[in-house]
PDB file of all heavy atoms in Angstrom:
ATOM      1  N   ASP F 214      79.966  58.456 146.816  1.00 90.00           N
ATOM      2  CA  ASP F 214      79.113  57.319 147.109  1.00 90.00           C
ATOM      3  C   ASP F 214      77.728  57.490 146.483  1.00 90.00           C
ATOM      4  O   ASP F 214      77.156  56.535 145.939  1.00 90.00           O
ATOM      5  CB  ASP F 214      78.965  57.134 148.623  1.00 90.00           C
ATOM      6  CG  ASP F 214      80.217  56.551 149.260  1.00 90.00           C
ATOM      7  OD1 ASP F 214      81.085  56.048 148.516  1.00 90.00           O
ATOM      8  OD2 ASP F 214      80.338  56.606 150.501  1.00 90.00           O
ATOM      9  N   ARG F 215      77.210  58.692 146.551  1.00 92.00           N
ATOM     10  CA  ARG F 215      75.880  58.957 145.990  1.00 92.00           C
ATOM     11  C   ARG F 215      75.883  58.768 144.471  1.00 92.00           C
ATOM     12  O   ARG F 215      74.955  58.199 143.895  1.00 92.00           O
ATOM     13  CB  ARG F 215      75.421  60.369 146.364  1.00 92.00           C
ATOM     14  CG  ARG F 215      75.086  60.526 147.849  1.00 92.00           C
ATOM     15  CD  ARG F 215      74.937  61.993 148.227  1.00 92.00           C
ATOM     16  NE  ARG F 215      73.726  62.575 147.694  1.00 92.00           N
ATOM     17  CZ  ARG F 215      72.556  62.619 148.327  1.00 92.00           C
ATOM     18  NH1 ARG F 215      72.444  62.063 149.539  1.00 92.00           N
ATOM     19  NH2 ARG F 215      71.512  63.194 147.794  1.00 92.00           N
ATOM     20  N   THR F 216      76.949  59.228 143.825  1.00 92.00           N
ATOM     21  CA  THR F 216      77.035  59.106 142.366  1.00 92.00           C
ATOM     22  C   THR F 216      77.108  57.650 141.934  1.00 92.00           C
ATOM     23  O   THR F 216      76.388  57.204 141.034  1.00 92.00           O
ATOM     24  CB  THR F 216      78.260  59.871 141.837  1.00 92.00           C
ATOM     25  OG1 THR F 216      78.129  61.257 142.160  1.00 92.00           O
ATOM     26  CG2 THR F 216      78.386  59.704 140.335  1.00 92.00           C
ATOM     27  N   VAL F 217      77.993  56.889 142.605  1.00 94.00           N
ATOM     28  CA  VAL F 217      78.156  55.477 142.245  1.00 94.00           C
ATOM     29  C   VAL F 217      76.881  54.699 142.539  1.00 94.00           C
ATOM     30  O   VAL F 217      76.415  53.893 141.710  1.00 94.00           O
ATOM     31  CB  VAL F 217      79.342  54.855 143.011  1.00 94.00           C
ATOM     32  CG1 VAL F 217      79.410  53.351 142.760  1.00 94.00           C
ATOM     33  CG2 VAL F 217      80.645  55.526 142.589  1.00 94.00           C
ATOM     34  N   ALA F 218      76.282  54.939 143.698  1.00 94.00           N
ATOM     35  CA  ALA F 218      75.064  54.212 144.074  1.00 94.00           C
ATOM     36  C   ALA F 218      73.917  54.533 143.118  1.00 94.00           C
ATOM     37  O   ALA F 218      73.139  53.632 142.754  1.00 94.00           O
ATOM     38  CB  ALA F 218      74.665  54.560 145.507  1.00 94.00           C
ATOM     39  N   PHE F 219      73.821  55.774 142.692  1.00 95.00           N
ATOM     40  CA  PHE F 219      72.736  56.135 141.780  1.00 95.00           C
ATOM     41  C   PHE F 219      72.920  55.451 140.424  1.00 95.00           C
ATOM     42  O   PHE F 219      71.944  54.972 139.823  1.00 95.00           O
ATOM     43  CB  PHE F 219      72.661  57.651 141.603  1.00 95.00           C
ATOM     44  CG  PHE F 219      71.479  58.097 140.780  1.00 95.00           C
ATOM     45  CD1 PHE F 219      70.203  58.046 141.305  1.00 95.00           C
ATOM     46  CD2 PHE F 219      71.648  58.539 139.474  1.00 95.00           C
ATOM     47  CE1 PHE F 219      69.103  58.435 140.546  1.00 95.00           C
ATOM     48  CE2 PHE F 219      70.563  58.929 138.716  1.00 95.00           C
ATOM     49  CZ  PHE F 219      69.276  58.880 139.245  1.00 95.00           C
ATOM     50  N   ARG F 220      74.155  55.387 139.947  1.00 95.00           N
ATOM     51  CA  ARG F 220      74.401  54.699 138.675  1.00 95.00           C
ATOM     52  C   ARG F 220      74.067  53.216 138.781  1.00 95.00           C
ATOM     53  O   ARG F 220      73.522  52.614 137.844  1.00 95.00           O
ATOM     54  CB  ARG F 220      75.859  54.900 138.257  1.00 95.00           C
ATOM     55  CG  ARG F 220      76.160  56.332 137.804  1.00 95.00           C
ATOM     56  CD  ARG F 220      77.639  56.526 137.547  1.00 95.00           C
ATOM     57  NE  ARG F 220      77.907  57.889 137.087  1.00 95.00           N
ATOM     58  CZ  ARG F 220      79.128  58.412 136.942  1.00 95.00           C
ATOM     59  NH1 ARG F 220      80.198  57.672 137.230  1.00 95.00           N
ATOM     60  NH2 ARG F 220      79.278  59.650 136.528  1.00 95.00           N
ATOM     61  N   LEU F 221      74.392  52.622 139.924  1.00 96.00           N
ATOM     62  CA  LEU F 221      74.045  51.217 140.124  1.00 96.00           C
ATOM     63  C   LEU F 221      72.529  51.020 140.162  1.00 96.00           C
ATOM     64  O   LEU F 221      72.009  50.035 139.628  1.00 96.00           O
ATOM     65  CB  LEU F 221      74.677  50.697 141.425  1.00 96.00           C
ATOM     66  CG  LEU F 221      76.198  50.514 141.400  1.00 96.00           C
ATOM     67  CD1 LEU F 221      76.726  50.255 142.808  1.00 96.00           C
ATOM     68  CD2 LEU F 221      76.590  49.355 140.469  1.00 96.00           C
ATOM     69  N   LEU F 222      71.829  51.976 140.772  1.00 95.00           N
ATOM     70  CA  LEU F 222      70.366  51.899 140.792  1.00 95.00           C
ATOM     71  C   LEU F 222      69.794  51.995 139.387  1.00 95.00           C
ATOM     72  O   LEU F 222      68.834  51.282 139.049  1.00 95.00           O
ATOM     73  CB  LEU F 222      69.783  53.025 141.648  1.00 95.00           C
ATOM     74  CG  LEU F 222      69.630  52.793 143.147  1.00 95.00           C
ATOM     75  CD1 LEU F 222      68.795  53.895 143.759  1.00 95.00           C
ATOM     76  CD2 LEU F 222      68.997  51.441 143.436  1.00 95.00           C
ATOM     77  N   LEU F 223      70.360  52.874 138.568  1.00 95.00           N
ATOM     78  CA  LEU F 223      69.899  52.982 137.188  1.00 95.00           C
ATOM     79  C   LEU F 223      70.044  51.649 136.455  1.00 95.00           C
ATOM     80  O   LEU F 223      69.142  51.222 135.721  1.00 95.00           O
ATOM     81  CB  LEU F 223      70.668  54.079 136.447  1.00 95.00           C
ATOM     82  CG  LEU F 223      70.325  55.530 136.766  1.00 95.00           C
ATOM     83  CD1 LEU F 223      71.212  56.464 135.953  1.00 95.00           C
ATOM     84  CD2 LEU F 223      68.858  55.827 136.469  1.00 95.00           C
ATOM     85  N   VAL F 224      71.189  50.989 136.663  1.00 96.00           N
ATOM     86  CA  VAL F 224      71.415  49.688 136.031  1.00 96.00           C
ATOM     87  C   VAL F 224      70.399  48.675 136.545  1.00 96.00           C
ATOM     88  O   VAL F 224      69.789  47.922 135.758  1.00 96.00           O
ATOM     89  CB  VAL F 224      72.848  49.187 136.308  1.00 96.00           C
ATOM     90  CG1 VAL F 224      73.012  47.747 135.835  1.00 96.00           C
ATOM     91  CG2 VAL F 224      73.865  50.089 135.638  1.00 96.00           C
ATOM     92  N   ALA F 225      70.190  48.656 137.858  1.00 96.00           N
ATOM     93  CA  ALA F 225      69.274  47.685 138.452  1.00 96.00           C
ATOM     94  C   ALA F 225      67.848  47.882 137.958  1.00 96.00           C
ATOM     95  O   ALA F 225      67.169  46.922 137.560  1.00 96.00           O
ATOM     96  CB  ALA F 225      69.322  47.787 139.975  1.00 96.00           C
ATOM     97  N   PHE F 226      67.382  49.129 137.963  1.00 96.00           N
ATOM     98  CA  PHE F 226      66.000  49.384 137.556  1.00 96.00           C
ATOM     99  C   PHE F 226      65.821  49.206 136.055  1.00 96.00           C
ATOM    100  O   PHE F 226      64.747  48.788 135.599  1.00 96.00           O
ATOM    101  CB  PHE F 226      65.581  50.785 137.990  1.00 96.00           C
ATOM    102  CG  PHE F 226      65.446  50.940 139.493  1.00 96.00           C
ATOM    103  CD1 PHE F 226      65.712  52.145 140.108  1.00 96.00           C
ATOM    104  CD2 PHE F 226      65.067  49.870 140.284  1.00 96.00           C
ATOM    105  CE1 PHE F 226      65.590  52.295 141.473  1.00 96.00           C
ATOM    106  CE2 PHE F 226      64.943  49.992 141.657  1.00 96.00           C
ATOM    107  CZ  PHE F 226      65.203  51.212 142.255  1.00 96.00           C
ATOM    108  N   ALA F 227      66.849  49.511 135.271  1.00 95.00           N
ATOM    109  CA  ALA F 227      66.770  49.269 133.832  1.00 95.00           C
ATOM    110  C   ALA F 227      66.681  47.768 133.553  1.00 95.00           C
ATOM    111  O   ALA F 227      65.890  47.322 132.709  1.00 95.00           O
ATOM    112  CB  ALA F 227      67.981  49.870 133.127  1.00 95.00           C
ATOM    113  N   ALA F 228      67.487  46.983 134.262  1.00 96.00           N
ATOM    114  CA  ALA F 228      67.456  45.523 134.089  1.00 96.00           C
ATOM    115  C   ALA F 228      66.097  44.959 134.482  1.00 96.00           C
ATOM    116  O   ALA F 228      65.531  44.105 133.783  1.00 96.00           O
ATOM    117  CB  ALA F 228      68.561  44.875 134.918  1.00 96.00           C
ATOM    118  N   ASN F 229      65.550  45.437 135.603  1.00 95.00           N
ATOM    119  CA  ASN F 229      64.225  44.988 136.023  1.00 95.00           C
ATOM    120  C   ASN F 229      63.166  45.334 134.982  1.00 95.00           C
ATOM    121  O   ASN F 229      62.260  44.536 134.705  1.00 95.00           O
ATOM    122  CB  ASN F 229      63.850  45.625 137.362  1.00 95.00           C
ATOM    123  CG  ASN F 229      64.548  44.968 138.540  1.00 95.00           C
ATOM    124  OD1 ASN F 229      65.297  44.019 138.375  1.00 95.00           O
ATOM    125  ND2 ASN F 229      64.310  45.490 139.731  1.00 95.00           N
ATOM    126  N   ALA F 230      63.268  46.536 134.418  1.00 94.00           N
ATOM    127  CA  ALA F 230      62.307  46.963 133.399  1.00 94.00           C
ATOM    128  C   ALA F 230      62.384  46.057 132.177  1.00 94.00           C
ATOM    129  O   ALA F 230      61.361  45.693 131.589  1.00 94.00           O
ATOM    130  CB  ALA F 230      62.571  48.416 133.001  1.00 94.00           C
ATOM    131  N   PHE F 231      63.609  45.694 131.788  1.00 95.00           N
ATOM    132  CA  PHE F 231      63.793  44.799 130.639  1.00 95.00           C
ATOM    133  C   PHE F 231      63.106  43.460 130.914  1.00 95.00           C
ATOM    134  O   PHE F 231      62.367  42.941 130.064  1.00 95.00           O
ATOM    135  CB  PHE F 231      65.279  44.586 130.372  1.00 95.00           C
ATOM    136  CG  PHE F 231      65.554  43.676 129.205  1.00 95.00           C
ATOM    137  CD1 PHE F 231      65.702  44.193 127.928  1.00 95.00           C
ATOM    138  CD2 PHE F 231      65.652  42.297 129.373  1.00 95.00           C
ATOM    139  CE1 PHE F 231      65.941  43.348 126.844  1.00 95.00           C
ATOM    140  CE2 PHE F 231      65.889  41.444 128.298  1.00 95.00           C
ATOM    141  CZ  PHE F 231      66.038  41.988 127.025  1.00 95.00           C
ATOM    142  N   VAL F 232      63.362  42.898 132.084  1.00 95.00           N
ATOM    143  CA  VAL F 232      62.810  41.589 132.423  1.00 95.00           C
ATOM    144  C   VAL F 232      61.287  41.626 132.430  1.00 95.00           C
ATOM    145  O   VAL F 232      60.620  40.797 131.786  1.00 95.00           O
ATOM    146  CB  VAL F 232      63.340  41.121 133.793  1.00 95.00           C
ATOM    147  CG1 VAL F 232      62.610  39.858 134.248  1.00 95.00           C
ATOM    148  CG2 VAL F 232      64.836  40.868 133.726  1.00 95.00           C
ATOM    149  N   MET F 233      60.713  42.577 133.141  1.00 92.00           N
ATOM    150  CA  MET F 233      59.261  42.602 133.293  1.00 92.00           C
ATOM    151  C   MET F 233      58.560  42.927 131.978  1.00 92.00           C
ATOM    152  O   MET F 233      57.523  42.333 131.653  1.00 92.00           O
ATOM    153  CB  MET F 233      58.873  43.589 134.391  1.00 92.00           C
ATOM    154  CG  MET F 233      59.251  43.093 135.780  1.00 92.00           C
ATOM    155  SD  MET F 233      58.631  44.100 137.132  1.00 92.00           S
ATOM    156  CE  MET F 233      59.723  45.522 137.022  1.00 92.00           C
ATOM    157  N   SER F 234      59.116  43.842 131.199  1.00 89.00           N
ATOM    158  CA  SER F 234      58.505  44.179 129.919  1.00 89.00           C
ATOM    159  C   SER F 234      58.544  42.998 128.959  1.00 89.00           C
ATOM    160  O   SER F 234      57.549  42.672 128.298  1.00 89.00           O
ATOM    161  CB  SER F 234      59.223  45.388 129.304  1.00 89.00           C
ATOM    162  OG  SER F 234      58.640  45.752 128.078  1.00 89.00           O
ATOM    163  N   ALA F 235      59.690  42.321 128.878  1.00 88.00           N
ATOM    164  CA  ALA F 235      59.822  41.181 127.976  1.00 88.00           C
ATOM    165  C   ALA F 235      58.925  40.024 128.398  1.00 88.00           C
ATOM    166  O   ALA F 235      58.262  39.399 127.557  1.00 88.00           O
ATOM    167  CB  ALA F 235      61.283  40.724 127.937  1.00 88.00           C
ATOM    168  N   VAL F 236      58.889  39.736 129.688  1.00 88.00           N
ATOM    169  CA  VAL F 236      58.077  38.624 130.176  1.00 88.00           C
ATOM    170  C   VAL F 236      56.587  38.908 129.973  1.00 88.00           C
ATOM    171  O   VAL F 236      55.832  38.042 129.506  1.00 88.00           O
ATOM    172  CB  VAL F 236      58.374  38.340 131.657  1.00 88.00           C
ATOM    173  CG1 VAL F 236      57.336  37.378 132.253  1.00 88.00           C
ATOM    174  CG2 VAL F 236      59.769  37.749 131.806  1.00 88.00           C
ATOM    175  N   HIS F 237      56.145  40.108 130.300  1.00 80.00           N
ATOM    176  CA  HIS F 237      54.719  40.423 130.193  1.00 80.00           C
ATOM    177  C   HIS F 237      54.211  40.258 128.765  1.00 80.00           C
ATOM    178  O   HIS F 237      53.116  39.740 128.538  1.00 80.00           O
ATOM    179  CB  HIS F 237      54.469  41.852 130.661  1.00 80.00           C
ATOM    180  CG  HIS F 237      54.496  41.995 132.140  1.00 80.00           C
ATOM    181  ND1 HIS F 237      54.410  43.195 132.793  1.00 80.00           N
ATOM    182  CD2 HIS F 237      54.608  41.068 133.123  1.00 80.00           C
ATOM    183  CE1 HIS F 237      54.463  43.008 134.094  1.00 80.00           C
ATOM    184  NE2 HIS F 237      54.586  41.723 134.316  1.00 80.00           N
ATOM    185  N   LEU F 238      54.977  40.694 127.803  1.00 75.00           N
ATOM    186  CA  LEU F 238      54.497  40.688 126.428  1.00 75.00           C
ATOM    187  C   LEU F 238      54.646  39.324 125.763  1.00 75.00           C
ATOM    188  O   LEU F 238      53.886  38.995 124.852  1.00 75.00           O
ATOM    189  CB  LEU F 238      55.241  41.749 125.602  1.00 75.00           C
ATOM    190  CG  LEU F 238      54.412  42.407 124.488  1.00 75.00           C
ATOM    191  CD1 LEU F 238      53.174  43.067 125.074  1.00 75.00           C
ATOM    192  CD2 LEU F 238      55.240  43.437 123.750  1.00 75.00           C
ATOM    193  N   HIS F 239      55.601  38.517 126.209  1.00 79.00           N
ATOM    194  CA  HIS F 239      55.882  37.261 125.513  1.00 79.00           C
ATOM    195  C   HIS F 239      55.603  36.011 126.348  1.00 79.00           C
ATOM    196  O   HIS F 239      55.902  34.907 125.893  1.00 79.00           O
ATOM    197  CB  HIS F 239      57.344  37.238 125.062  1.00 79.00           C
ATOM    198  CG  HIS F 239      57.675  38.301 124.067  1.00 79.00           C
ATOM    199  ND1 HIS F 239      57.139  38.331 122.801  1.00 79.00           N
ATOM    200  CD2 HIS F 239      58.494  39.391 124.153  1.00 79.00           C
ATOM    201  CE1 HIS F 239      57.609  39.390 122.142  1.00 79.00           C
ATOM    202  NE2 HIS F 239      58.425  40.042 122.949  1.00 79.00           N
ATOM    203  N   LEU F 240      55.040  36.179 127.535  1.00 81.00           N
ATOM    204  CA  LEU F 240      54.885  35.034 128.433  1.00 81.00           C
ATOM    205  C   LEU F 240      54.069  33.910 127.801  1.00 81.00           C
ATOM    206  O   LEU F 240      54.468  32.739 127.840  1.00 81.00           O
ATOM    207  CB  LEU F 240      54.231  35.472 129.752  1.00 81.00           C
ATOM    208  CG  LEU F 240      54.011  34.350 130.779  1.00 81.00           C
ATOM    209  CD1 LEU F 240      55.340  33.727 131.181  1.00 81.00           C
ATOM    210  CD2 LEU F 240      53.276  34.881 132.003  1.00 81.00           C
ATOM    211  N   ILE F 241      52.935  34.231 127.206  1.00 78.00           N
ATOM    212  CA  ILE F 241      52.073  33.194 126.642  1.00 78.00           C
ATOM    213  C   ILE F 241      52.801  32.436 125.533  1.00 78.00           C
ATOM    214  O   ILE F 241      52.774  31.204 125.466  1.00 78.00           O
ATOM    215  CB  ILE F 241      50.768  33.801 126.102  1.00 78.00           C
ATOM    216  CG1 ILE F 241      50.022  34.543 127.226  1.00 78.00           C
ATOM    217  CG2 ILE F 241      49.887  32.716 125.507  1.00 78.00           C
ATOM    218  CD1 ILE F 241      49.646  33.676 128.401  1.00 78.00           C
TER     219      ILE F 241
END
Side-chain angles (χ1 to χ4, degrees):
D214 286 346
R215 290 167 72 91
T216 299
V217 173
F219 186 73
R220 289 174 179 171
L221 289 169
L222 273 191
L223 285 179
V224 171
F226 291 149
N229 283 359
F231 180 91
V232 172
M233 289 188 286
S234 181
V236 168
H237 284 174
L238 213 58
H239 297 294
L240 180 61
I241 302 300

